[in-house]
Amino acid sequence: MVELAFREAGSGTPLVLLHAFTLSSAMWLPQSESLCEVCRVITPDPRGLGGAGIGTDDPTLWRSVADTCALPGRAGA
């Protein structure tokens, strides 16, 4: 099991913003501050980046998709 890291702000329709490789969810802070007035902004950190642990599974694109969909509050819903 890996501890997933993410930021969220606002409420309503979810909008997931994925950051560039080697950066973190902090990349989206300026946009999140504006967008949170009209939707729920979710900015996850994939395994091994930002505040997320790496876990024991190989880090793959599909694992990142699964992790994003499994965030608390059903970010992928």
Side-chain angles (χ1 to χ4, degrees):
M1 186 100 178
V2 65
E3 185 173 336
L4 301 173
F6 67 100
R7 299 170 194 261
E8 72 177 316
S11 61
T13 302
L15 172 65
V16 178
L17 301 176
L18 304 175
H19 64 77
F21 184 69
T22 73
L23 297 178
S24 75
S25 57
M27 171 185 156
W28 295 114
L29 286 173
Q31 292 84 357
S32 293
E33 289 176 7
S34 296
L35 291 168
C36 73
E37 296 176 16
V38 295
C39 63
R40 178 178 169 220
V41 182
I42 304 158
T43 54
D45 286 326
R47 291 174 185 236
L49 297 174
I54 189 103
T56 57
D57 298 322
D58 290 334
T60 67
L61 178 60
W62 298 115
R63 174 65 55 205
S64 183
V65 170
D67 287 347
T68 300
C69 291
L71 288 172
R74 298 174 34 105

